């Protein structure tokens, strides 16, 4: 209870009063944490944004990874074994997908299914959506960072590892998508340069009455083997080609009253 003390205490709020509440399945602001208000603004992985120029990356079908078991534990669309083993700790990939105006404005949550070996970060339009077993949340993780521990994906060990995939409820689609083209980007890391398997499977879906799959690991995409950072210094980036995607750090407006008298905002609205 909240009270004013004194000889005759007065209760301002009691625990039995009527409250508004929210079950914390996601951030109470309606999506991801607004790091513009908490602990500063997260660093941006420029390679994961829609406007990044990936024309110099190679194109192939996913899932991307490495596998040397016979028969293979992981079914890969593109096996980069010879390029990665003992040479690189990471693989970067980007896949474009489309969202309708209705989907991009929907308040229904997005859903992401992930299955990985060993560490992974998934970005949607440059915003970190999921991070597992790799680095510090909302920071840019260098290309040569090793996953913090070994983590098997489904089917590893000759099929002895069962279904260990994970389904994550993200924020509302309106906070993550834009009408038209969007990009899902995956940063995949091994826990040792000599580890002989590496994979990231994912499925991004809308939810609700008209739920559908937006992107899958099997889709065609562009990839980059992490022998260096996945961008060229001073490379030209096309920032005007697509509509801006949602940005929690910019999604607020401050109204400042410069006068001495209070101003009522009753009946005001923003459209």
């Amino acid at each position: 209870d909240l009270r004013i003390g004194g000889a005759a205490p007065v209760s301002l709020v009691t625990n039995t009063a009527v409250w508004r509440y929210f079950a914390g399945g996601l951030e109470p602001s309606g999506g991801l944490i607004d790091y513009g208000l908490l602990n500063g603004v997260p660093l941006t992985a420029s390679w994961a944004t829609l406007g990044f120029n990936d024309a110099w990356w190679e194109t192939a079908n996913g899932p991307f990874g490495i596998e040397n078991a016979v028969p293979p534990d992981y079914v890969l669309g593109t096996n980069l074994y010879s390029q990665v083993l003992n040479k690189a700790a990471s693989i970067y990939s980007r896949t474009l997908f489309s969202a309708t105006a209705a989907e991009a404005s929907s308040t229904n949550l997005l859903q992401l299914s992930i299955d990985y070996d060993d560490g992974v970060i998934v970005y949607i339009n440059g915003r970190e959506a999921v991070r597992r077993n790799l680095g510090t949340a909302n920071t840019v993780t260098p290309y040569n960072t090793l996953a913090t521990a070994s983590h098997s994906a489904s089917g590893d060990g000759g099929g002895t590892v069962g279904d260990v995939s994970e389904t994550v409820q993200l924020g509302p689609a309106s906070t993550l998508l834009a009408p038209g083209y969007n990009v899902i980007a995956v940063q995949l890391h091994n826990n040792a340069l000599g580890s002989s398997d590496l994979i990231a499977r994912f499925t991004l879906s809308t939810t609700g009455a008209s739920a559908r799959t937006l992107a899958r690991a099997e889709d065609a995409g562009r990839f980059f083997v992490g022998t260096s950072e996945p961008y060229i210094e001073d490379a030209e980036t096309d920032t005007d080609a697509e509509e801006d995607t949602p940005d929690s750090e910019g999604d607020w407006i401050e109204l400042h009253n410069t006068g001495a008298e209070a101003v009522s905002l009753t009946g005001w609205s923003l459209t």
Side-chain angles (χ1 to χ4, degrees):
D1 295 351
L2 178 63
R3 296 187 176 96
I4 297 177
V10 177
S11 291
L12 299 176
V13 181
T14 68
N15 64 342
T16 57
V18 177
W19 295 68
R20 291 186 180 274
Y21 69 93
F22 176 80
L26 64 154
E27 288 302 318
S29 58
L32 304 180
I33 299 172
D34 189 342
Y35 290 94
L37 302 178
L38 295 175
N39 303 321
V41 178
L43 299 175
T44 299
S46 60
W47 67 271
T49 61
L50 186 61
F52 177 74
N53 182 2
D54 62 4
W56 55 284
W57 290 23
E58 296 184 69
T59 303
N61 281 85
F64 301 100
I66 69 173
E67 175 60 86
N68 195 42
V70 180
D73 293 339
Y74 302 151
V75 177
L76 298 171
T78 301
N79 191 346
L80 299 169
Y81 186 86
S82 62
Q83 296 174 245
V84 172
L85 187 70
N86 292 317
K87 299 175 183 177
S90 59
I91 299 173
Y92 297 79
S93 60
R94 294 164 45 89
T95 299
L96 296 180
F97 64 93
S98 293
T100 66
E103 289 169 335
S105 63
S106 174
T107 57
N108 290 329
L109 303 182
L110 291 182
Q111 180 173 284
L112 180 68
S113 170
I114 56 171
D115 192 9
Y116 60 94
D117 177 342
D118 287 295
V120 68
I121 311 170
V122 180
Y123 298 92
I124 300 175
N125 291 323
R127 291 182 60 187
E128 182 178 317
V130 169
R131 180 188 293 253
R132 295 291 184 269
N133 215 21
L134 183 61
T136 302
N138 294 289
T139 62
V140 174
T141 299
Y143 72 97
N144 55 358
T145 302
L146 295 176
T148 54
S150 175
H151 183 280
S152 296
S154 303
D156 200 7
T160 59
V161 176
D163 184 4
V164 292
S165 61
E166 177 184 359
T167 299
V168 183
Q169 300 295 325
L170 306 178
S174 59
T175 67
L176 292 166
L177 302 182
Y181 282 121
N182 295 260
V183 63
I184 183 168
V186 177
Q187 185 172 348
L188 174 64
H189 286 240
N190 226 333
N191 76 315
L193 288 177
S195 176
S196 61
D197 53 6
L198 181 67
I199 191 173
R201 305 184 185 102
F202 70 85
T203 302
L204 178 66
S205 307
T206 59
T207 61
S210 301
R212 74 178 182 95
T213 297
L214 297 173
R216 304 176 305 153
E218 294 81 4
D219 294 341
R222 292 186 180 270
F223 70 91
F224 176 82
V225 174
T227 54
S228 66
E229 293 298 340
Y231 52 81
I232 300 175
E233 292 291 343
D234 300 324
E236 181 180 348
T237 298
D238 183 1
T239 58
D240 299 322
E242 305 291 345
E243 180 174 344
D244 288 341
T245 52
D247 178 359
S248 68
E249 286 73 57
D251 290 346
W252 57 276
I253 296 175
E254 179 180 0
L255 301 177
H256 179 60
N257 179 12
T258 59
E261 298 295 327
V263 176
S264 173
L265 298 182
T266 302
W268 287 39
S269 64
L270 294 172
T271 58

